[in-house]
Every structure is written in C-alpha cells, then in structure tokens.
Amino acid sequence: MAQTYRDPTFEEVARREAQAQRQASMAEAQAERDAEWRASKEYRRMRRQRIRRLTLRAMNGR
C-alpha cells in the first residue's frame, strides 16, 4: 500500500532551500553585472562628471 501522506515540513524546507539557491544565484549574477559596470569607461566618465558638477556647485556656494 502506497503512502498518501506527504510531510508538509519537508515540502516547506525544500521550498525554502530552492528559494535560497535562486536568491544566491541572482545575487551572484547582480554582483558580476555591477563589477562589469564599475569597470566600464561609461561609469568612470559618469563619475568624473558628477564629481566635477558637485565640486563646481560647492565652490559656487550652492
């Protein structure tokens, strides 16, 4: 006779582990994209412009 009862605790633990694995893989992928972005020329150009703009504003008393 086959068992018809399924342990809900096991199902919940499996669901949480799968969710944790998905979140970990998404976080890793996001970290890779962030590292690529910070290494790009466009990011450095944008940072230089922002620093220049904020410096000019500070020197003009704004």
Side-chain angles (χ1 to χ4, degrees):
M1 183 166 148
Q3 182 179 5
T4 58
Y5 175 76
R6 291 186 66 132
D7 186 9
T9 304
F10 175 80
E11 297 295 325
E12 181 63 19
V13 169
R15 185 190 68 78
R16 288 181 185 179
E17 286 178 356
Q19 182 181 21
Q21 288 176 354
R22 284 192 305 272
Q23 287 177 344
S25 85
M26 288 189 314
E28 183 180 336
Q30 183 64 42
E32 289 176 12
R33 286 192 301 271
D34 289 346
E36 289 176 11
W37 167 243
R38 288 189 191 104
S40 71
K41 289 182 179 182
E42 178 64 21
Y43 175 77
R44 289 194 300 271
R45 184 190 65 78
M46 195 173 70
R47 292 282 294 171
R48 279 194 312 269
Q49 281 183 336
R50 182 171 185 250
I51 291 168
R52 185 179 302 128
R53 183 176 61 246
L54 293 173
T55 304
L56 286 173
R57 288 179 71 184
M59 292 179 75
N60 288 332
R62 292 186 190 175

